Amino acid sequence: MKRGVALEDVLDAFSMEEDVSTQTLERYLRVYPQYVEALSDLFHELNLVRFEAEATSDAEVKAAFQDFETDAVGDRGQDEESLFSKDSIKRAAKNLGVSRAFLAGFRDRLVIAATVPPRILKQLAKALGQSEKTLETYLRGEASIGTAVAFKSDGQPRPPDQISFEAYLKSFPDEADQLARLMDSDGRD
């Protein structure tokens, strides 16, 4: 029997065991009899979680995740759904000569729409295969966070504050020259 080990340390060690079986519980109870009740409670809790996880089918997980994504995306129209799809961002980045990370800020509505120069807005809409009005309407929405970020968050995730186009551009110094060229062009290829 080990008396000098704290309950929390024993419970941590037990919960980290690869095999949380009755044999493991019995071994811990022999070594730490003073923690019988706490170890038994933890054993049952860990097994309950494991059994619940095994009982959940793949279909239930997929349905729950789809519901989560729907809630995270909100009630945007179909045009807005496809506006910043993975493929459209990739194509637009190539056509504009900017990085996908740069375009992701527009997807996440980090840039205040009214501060985007009209020529950039026009070029971006064209590269995305959308009308300027559709893009502008989308950008005027609230800033959002990606589903993966929201899913990984420990607390209530909040979208970042929106910033001006000029401030956003400072985050991407490598894009400045290309964007200056886009501003100088008239949008025709």
Side-chain angles (χ1 to χ4, degrees):
M1 173 173 29
K2 295 184 179 180
R3 293 227 178 254
V5 181
L7 172 62
E8 187 174 319
D9 294 336
V10 173
L11 295 178
D12 284 344
F14 182 76
S15 66
M16 299 302 281
E17 287 285 336
E18 191 171 317
D19 176 34
V20 182
S21 64
T22 53
Q23 292 81 15
T24 306
L25 175 62
E26 289 170 357
R27 182 169 43 92
Y28 270 79
L29 292 176
R30 278 192 302 276
V31 177
Y32 305 104
Q34 68 272 31
Y35 301 136
V36 169
E37 188 175 328
L39 282 167
S40 295
D41 288 346
L42 180 59
F43 172 77
H44 291 294
E45 186 177 325
L46 291 172
N47 279 311
L48 180 63
V49 169
R50 183 176 54 121
F51 290 134
E52 286 175 350
E54 290 172 358
T56 304
S57 71
D58 285 343
E60 290 171 321
V61 171
K62 286 178 183 176
F65 191 69
Q66 187 173 17
D67 289 346
F68 172 77
E69 282 185 319
T70 300
D71 290 345
V73 170
D75 295 328
R76 291 188 265 164
Q78 187 58 36
D79 284 343
E80 290 185 3
E81 288 283 329
S82 63
L83 186 65
F84 283 99
S85 69
K86 186 190 283 187
D87 291 335
S88 66
I89 287 178
K90 190 175 181 180
R91 186 176 48 254
K94 184 178 179 184
N95 290 342
L96 295 173
V98 296
S99 69
R100 285 183 261 174
F102 179 78
L103 294 178
F106 289 92
R107 176 199 63 211
D108 297 339
R109 299 179 174 119
L110 298 179
V111 180
I112 300 168
T115 65
V116 179
R119 287 187 179 205
I120 295 295
L121 193 65
K122 182 178 183 177
Q123 296 278 353
L124 182 55
K126 182 179 178 184
L128 290 168
Q130 298 291 329
S131 70
E132 289 177 60
K133 182 154 180 67
T134 300
L135 177 59
E136 193 170 1
T137 300
Y138 176 85
L139 292 176
R140 290 190 190 280
E142 291 185 29
S144 64
I145 55 175
T147 305
V149 174
F151 192 68
K152 291 180 181 179
S153 178
D154 289 335
Q156 177 66 33
R158 293 180 334 127
D161 294 331
Q162 289 182 309
I163 58 174
S164 71
F165 178 77
E166 188 176 312
Y168 184 67
L169 189 55
K170 288 178 182 175
S171 304
F172 294 89
D174 296 341
E175 314 290 341
D177 291 340
Q178 179 59 20
L179 289 168
R181 283 191 288 277
L182 290 173
M183 291 210 14
D184 289 339
S185 73
D186 62 4
R188 289 183 255 149
D189 289 334

